[in-house]
Amino acid sequence: MMQRVNKNVVLAVLTAASTLFLLFQLYYYRYYISGKNGAAFSRLKGSLSVQDGTRWRVVKTFLNLVSNHKVPVFLVDPHMLGLLSKDIEQLRSSPDSLLPGCQYFCKARDVTTFGLLDKIWEHKGSIFRAAEKLGFQWQKYEGRDPRLEGMDDLSGTEIPLHYLFKMAAHTIHLVVFYERSGNYLWHGPLRLKRNMDRKFAPFRKLQFGRYAGAYSSSDLVHMTVDGLKLKIPRDPLQFLSAVSHSRFLECRYKEARSFFKLYPEDTSLEGIEFRKKAKALLHLAASTLHSLGVTFWISSGTCLGWYRQCSIIPYSKDVDLGIFIQNYKPDLVPAFQKAGLPLKHKFGKVEDSLELSFLGKDDVKLDIFFFYEEDDYMWNGGTQAKSGKKFKYEFLCL
């Protein structure tokens, strides 16, 4: 009899505790999602189903979290920026003129991606404790800091590269951007270590992290979207274009050091001066092409120098760039001449083997080779300045 009474008492206590816990959960949810932020949601909830509203609520809770802890995130989600870019002028000038209801953040998606500049955040642990209290699960993903690597030090140190916050089956991906020498922003790859949960998030759907990426610094603007206050790049289309060409390949310091053990680096004054001039010419060429919206890559001997020895080959005496012929623009030559680089040679035609050569300071030459795509290979032409003899260089497309 005594055992039976004890069991009933225990069962009653457990039932009461469970009920209280559920009531607390409901109160907590209403306080942070509805009560605290209800003004914005009440204007939208008429158009939301429970499933559609989940993403909006999670994003809202995350934005409140980072705002309360003064963590200035900005939207970098390619899908969302693509949607916003279609209505960008209307969103800036008269957001109230858009169709009523939740137009953007209520589309069913598994991941929403934000960015963060490392230099303006101290990675304080208080935000993570607050996130847990709000119901978020989170993970931090670290990697080696390439800014500390070089020819003399290959050790590096671990730095935060990505954070994932998960709530109600929706994932917030926070990408950490770092400033690199050369005035560009860099984010590292997201790599799972052995002991990490591979089912924590839909990793294959993450749009940042498969590779390291590099971006030009972008101005940010404040905007209200679906009742959510956030920051986005001033020119979303320009940022989206950069995403498609953002894959970053780190210099192979280990291999370069091995190369210099066999072939010591040219430390003569002439060699040092040439590398300095060549880098300045490369920066000028990159700036000029960027102003024209022309995508390019380092080619030929310049590419070999970077890949083999993390530097410019001092005896090459020129800088080589490659551009796909479909990206050629008639105002390319005038733009370089305006930048102080007169045209020295023009070989071939736009429809066949075009090559441009510009003269930089102190006779350092800039050669631009145009590449033509075929079914399974691409090629560029080459012409000997003295003899006029033409060559065709073919590259397999892998």
Side-chain angles (χ1 to χ4, degrees):
M1 184 66 180
M2 193 66 179
Q3 289 182 348
R4 187 178 301 172
V5 171
N6 288 341
K7 289 182 179 178
N8 290 336
V9 171
V10 170
L11 181 60
V13 171
L14 290 175
T15 303
S18 299
T19 303
L20 287 172
F21 179 73
L22 289 174
L23 289 173
F24 175 75
Q25 290 278 63
L26 179 61
Y27 167 78
Y28 206 68
Y29 175 81
R30 288 171 62 84
Y31 175 77
Y32 279 98
I33 302 300
S34 181
K36 190 175 181 179
N37 311 306
F41 182 63
S42 62
R43 295 193 296 270
L44 302 169
K45 66 180 181 181
S47 63
L48 294 179
S49 67
V50 174
Q51 183 177 5
D52 291 339
T54 298
R55 183 192 182 195
W56 185 92
R57 294 184 185 97
V58 173
V59 173
K60 176 68 174 179
T61 306
F62 175 76
L63 289 175
N64 282 336
L65 171 69
V66 296
S67 176
N68 290 337
H69 288 79
K70 296 180 173 52
V71 180
V73 303
F74 51 94
L75 187 70
V76 295
D77 191 289
H79 177 77
M80 289 302 303
L81 291 177
L83 292 176
L84 295 175
S85 66
K86 298 175 183 178
D87 304 319
I88 193 68
E89 294 303 326
Q90 199 171 358
L91 282 165
R92 286 173 177 168
S93 57
S94 54
D96 293 336
S97 64
L98 293 168
L99 292 173
C102 186
Q103 301 295 318
Y104 305 98
F105 281 99
C106 294
K107 307 291 184 183
R109 291 186 66 81
D110 295 321
V111 181
T112 304
T113 312
F114 290 88
L116 169 69
L117 291 178
D118 169 74
K119 70 175 184 177
I120 53 178
W121 185 39
E122 298 177 359
H123 299 267
K124 292 181 178 178
S126 58
I127 187 174
F128 303 110
R129 292 189 291 272
E132 291 172 356
K133 289 181 179 180
L134 288 173
F136 278 110
Q137 295 175 280
W138 63 276
Q139 291 279 1
K140 177 170 66 173
Y141 302 87
E142 296 182 319
R144 287 167 58 170
D145 188 349
R147 298 171 301 173
L148 301 180
E149 292 186 327
M151 298 300 292
D152 300 321
D153 181 11
L154 303 179
S155 59
T157 188
E158 294 281 306
I159 55 173
L161 299 178
H162 300 263
Y163 293 93
L164 295 181
F165 296 82
K166 186 173 69 172
M167 176 191 286
H170 189 72
T171 300
I172 301 292
H173 182 193
L174 184 57
V175 184
V176 185
F177 290 85
Y178 292 85
E179 284 191 345
R180 299 280 298 265
S181 59
N183 194 30
Y184 66 93
L185 300 178
W186 170 91
H187 72 76
L190 194 160
R191 296 289 181 263
L192 296 179
K193 298 180 180 179
R194 284 185 181 179
N195 60 339
M196 288 188 165
D197 183 1
R198 297 180 179 274
K199 296 182 180 180
F200 180 77
F203 291 101
R204 292 184 180 274
K205 295 183 180 181
L206 301 184
Q207 295 172 298
F208 289 81
R210 181 171 297 181
Y211 310 108
Y215 300 82
S216 299
S217 297
S218 176
D219 292 334
L220 301 174
V221 294
H222 292 270
M223 189 166 292
T224 300
V225 180
D226 291 339
L228 305 177
K229 295 182 179 180
L230 44 81
K231 291 181 181 179
I232 69 169
R234 181 179 296 277
D235 189 339
L237 288 178
Q238 185 180 65
F239 181 83
L240 290 173
S241 176
V243 170
S244 63
H245 303 287
S246 65
R247 184 176 179 181
F248 184 84
L249 297 178
E250 200 67 55
C251 182
R252 309 184 318 152
Y253 291 111
K254 183 177 179 180
E255 288 78 2
R257 190 155 67 175
S258 297
F259 175 82
F260 284 125
K261 285 181 179 179
L262 294 175
Y263 307 97
E265 186 175 12
D266 183 357
T267 57
S268 66
L269 181 60
E270 182 181 3
I272 293 173
E273 281 297 312
F274 171 75
R275 286 193 291 269
K276 182 178 179 181
K277 294 172 185 175
K279 289 178 180 178
L281 178 58
L282 183 57
H283 278 291
L284 178 59
S287 176
T288 304
L289 291 171
H290 180 72
S291 68
L292 296 172
V294 175
T295 303
F296 72 97
W297 61 89
I298 55 175
S299 183
S300 306
T302 305
C303 183
L304 174 62
W306 169 82
Y307 184 79
R308 186 181 66 185
Q309 56 206 73
C310 295
S311 186
I312 292 175
I313 301 174
Y315 53 81
S316 59
K317 304 306 179 186
D318 59 17
V319 172
D320 303 311
L321 301 181
I323 298 174
F324 282 120
I325 191 61
Q326 59 266 30
N327 293 329
Y328 170 79
K329 295 184 177 182
D331 51 351
L332 192 148
V333 172
F336 273 99
Q337 290 177 327
K338 185 178 179 180
L341 302 176
L343 181 67
K344 184 176 183 180
H345 296 298
K346 179 180 179 180
F347 299 115
K349 303 177 181 179
V350 173
E351 60 271 17
D352 178 40
S353 306
L354 182 63
E355 176 188 347
L356 300 176
S357 182
F358 298 91
L359 190 61
K361 293 181 179 179
D362 302 308
D363 294 331
V364 179
K365 192 158 57 75
L366 172 68
D367 291 330
I368 300 181
F369 301 95
F370 289 86
F371 286 72
Y372 300 76
E373 295 179 282
E374 306 295 343
D375 291 337
D376 56 354
Y377 71 97
M378 65 180 188
W379 62 276
N380 75 283
T383 305
Q384 284 186 342
K386 293 183 179 180
S387 66
K389 189 175 182 179
K390 295 182 65 176
F391 298 89
K392 183 179 181 180
Y393 304 94
E394 297 183 359
F395 304 87
L396 291 177
C397 297
L398 301 177

